[in-house]
Amino acid sequence: MADIQLLPPVLNSAVDLDLEDDTNAADERFDKLREECGVMAIYNHSDAARLTYWGLYALQHRGQESAGIASADGYSVNDIKGMGLVSEIFTDDVLAKLPGHIAIGHTRYSTTGDSALLNAQPISVESTKGLIAIAHNGNLVNLGTSKERLERDGAVFQTTSDSEIIIQLIAHSRQTTLVDCIAESLSQVDGAFSIVMMTRNRIFAARDPHGFRPLSMGRITGVDGAPDTFVFASETCAFDLLHAKYERDVEPGELVMVSEDGVTSRRYAPETTPTASCIFEHVYFARPDSRIYGRWVQKSREEMGRQLARESHVPADLIVPVPDSGVTAAIGYATESGIPFNLGLIRNHYVGRTFIQPEQRVRDFGVRMKLNPVRSLLEGKRVILIDDSIIRGTTSRKIVRMVRAAGATEVHLRISCPPTISPCFYGVDTPSKKDLIAANKSIAEICEYIEADTLAYLSLPGLTHACTIGESSHGLSPASFCTACYTGHYPTQWVDVEEILPAIATV
Ligand code: SF4
């Protein structure tokens, strides 16, 4: 197996930067929740690695620090991983080293402490069951006991990633068939996992019993009698580039296998496990052109804006989204309120990850590098700004100041979800509770801190209503979702106490 590791010259030094420094461009990096991963799998295409590359390209918003692809031709497995963007790592020459009709891929964002190439995925393990490679979106929450037991059984971990636990459990399972080994292993871990796995000749896809993270299955119809290609992806936007048709979601607690015998499916967890799909996928993470948990994200996000207008209307002249993620909700708000919508903030889409920092005294430079106000639209206007979240509050304050400095007479901030009061343990990089502004201040105090005229959040019932209303609800109900970052009520029994106790103790 080739394991070529590429390291483009990318500086990624946010970990060393002073978070309290108002001039720091890294503020914005810490002022948004980050999805940690996107996964892709292709079965039965002569250029499976290239299709996986295109899929990962569409999933780039789910992780920008590292990416990897493993491919197989029925005999051998090759895998290539690197730090950086998918398009930086996978040139034509690199893709040529990934032959075969099967491939899985992964794009990763991670917390800075463990963003090393070591933890890039797919992770491959050779065992008595043959070589297995895994790509994982989510976070496991019962690591301690599983890892200790595996190490007692002789497992040697190659990475510090929780994803390797699953593959080591499979390697050490005493079940007779590989499918049974995988099913047994998945039933032993708790937390969030949407995974794709491959051997030399098979693809597997599974979601955890709560269905925290999305995972969809699609198909490219074979032409001229050629067999169909099966595709799995974190979001359906990855299907569009491949001309793949969405078939269905991998169900929570389901294990799907694709082999030369076709597609088979089995459950490894009881159907009675309550669903807890991450509602923040609809609020922010997923692209509006994706269908998540069977429902279009665009539909939910626009409804959030409408509901927000109904709950917290204020007289104003102009609705302005914080681009890009606030745009769809702002359209909904404008439609419901009748107030004109316009792009009063312009985003620079070409900001690279390396940037020479300005002198310390140049205030708010980090935000202005990415966003610039349109003075001709804002001057003399009462503005309603629409954004999808406030995490630490520093970026929101800079944006409010920027809009006011551009001539707005009033700035009202509206957030299309409830206050974020608790960290996520299910695959989203969240600051600890002490850094979540809504865990430490009242809404009135946050409003004062960010220097807005008024501030309002969408209510939790309003959010779940927006994500379930209408014909495209696909059986979703308010109880279908994890809302733990808004409530502090976690859907799993096992939460990593070492992580959560200090966070709670500091509040
Ligand atoms: S805690 Fe929040 S971000 Fe994490 S899975 Fe639940 S809803 Fe999603």
Side-chain angles (χ1 to χ4, degrees), residues 211-230:
F212 280 105
R213 302 270 147 241
L215 186 61
S216 298
M217 177 176 161
R219 183 193 293 250
I220 305 168
T221 306
V223 289
D224 299 331
D228 294 349
T229 298
F230 293 93

Side-chain angles (χ1 to χ4, degrees), residues 87-327:
S87 58
E88 293 170 336
I89 301 164
F90 293 102
T91 59
D92 269 334
D93 288 349
V94 173
L95 285 172
K97 294 172 182 148
L98 292 167
H101 64 291
I102 300 175
I104 63 172
H106 190 260
T107 181
R108 182 169 195 259
Y109 168 82
S110 65
T111 52
T112 50
D114 65 353
S115 65
L117 186 58
L118 177 73
N119 285 329
Q121 297 191 18
I123 297 170
S124 305
V125 167
E126 186 75 69
S127 74
T128 50
K129 284 102 191 166
L131 189 137
I132 309 162
I134 188 170
H136 169 204
N137 176 206
N139 247 51
L140 305 183
V141 293
N142 62 339
L143 295 186
T145 49
S146 303
K147 195 166 180 185
E148 275 169 27
R149 188 165 52 77
L150 282 163
E151 282 173 337
R152 275 201 306 273
D153 286 353
V156 179
F157 283 82
Q158 306 166 21
T159 72
T160 56
S161 162
D162 59 339
S163 313
E164 194 182 344
I165 298 249
I166 296 173
I167 207 163
Q168 292 284 6
L169 282 168
I170 296 167
H172 285 79
S173 170
R174 296 199 171 95
Q175 296 292 322
T176 45
T177 69
L178 180 59
V179 180
D180 287 341
C181 291
I182 295 173
E184 181 191 70
S185 304
L186 296 181
S187 67
Q188 290 174 16
V189 289
D190 202 0
F193 52 90
S194 280
I195 54 174
V196 290
M197 287 182 286
M198 64 181 282
T199 63
R200 291 179 173 86
N201 54 11
R202 284 183 280 183
I203 288 277
F204 299 88
R207 278 173 82 201
D208 66 75
H210 292 285
F212 280 105
R213 302 270 147 241
L215 186 61
S216 298
M217 177 176 161
R219 183 193 293 250
I220 305 168
T221 306
V223 289
D224 299 331
D228 294 349
T229 298
F230 293 93
V231 185
F232 296 87
S234 293
E235 289 183 36
T236 60
C237 64
F239 294 165
D240 298 343
L241 262 182
L242 313 181
H243 298 292
K245 193 160 176 286
Y246 168 81
E247 288 220 322
R248 68 178 181 87
D249 281 5
V250 176
E251 295 299 325
E254 183 188 16
L255 170 62
V256 179
M257 179 179 81
V258 193
S259 69
E260 60 186 10
D261 298 325
V263 180
T264 56
S265 160
R266 64 180 280 183
R267 293 200 62 80
Y268 66 90
E271 279 186 72
T272 48
T273 310
T275 306
S277 299
C278 173
I279 204 162
F280 206 61
E281 293 276 356
H282 274 277
V283 173
Y284 169 63
F285 292 135
R287 281 178 30 171
D289 51 337
S290 285
R291 194 192 300 215
I292 295 294
Y293 322 132
R295 178 178 172 86
W296 288 106
V297 174
Q298 186 275 340
K299 169 83 177 156
S300 296
R301 222 166 267 176
E302 200 171 319
E303 283 296 339
M304 287 170 210
R306 286 175 175 274
Q307 183 65 21
L308 191 55
R310 287 191 283 269
E311 290 183 8
S312 59
H313 179 69
V314 63
D317 306 308
L318 189 64
I319 307 292
V320 172
V322 176
D324 296 323
S325 50
V327 170

Side-chain angles (χ1 to χ4, degrees), residues 409-427:
T409 55
E410 294 174 19
V411 184
H412 306 275
L413 184 59
R414 296 292 179 267
I415 304 297
S416 60
C417 67
T420 304
I421 59 163
S422 279
C424 175
F425 298 96
Y426 307 119

Side-chain angles (χ1 to χ4, degrees), residues 389-419:
S389 54
I390 302 177
I391 304 303
R392 296 168 70 242
T394 50
T395 304
S396 303
R397 183 170 59 174
K398 290 172 183 178
I399 294 171
V400 169
R401 281 179 182 167
M402 178 191 287
V403 171
R404 214 185 286 284
T409 55
E410 294 174 19
V411 184
H412 306 275
L413 184 59
R414 296 292 179 267
I415 304 297
S416 60
C417 67

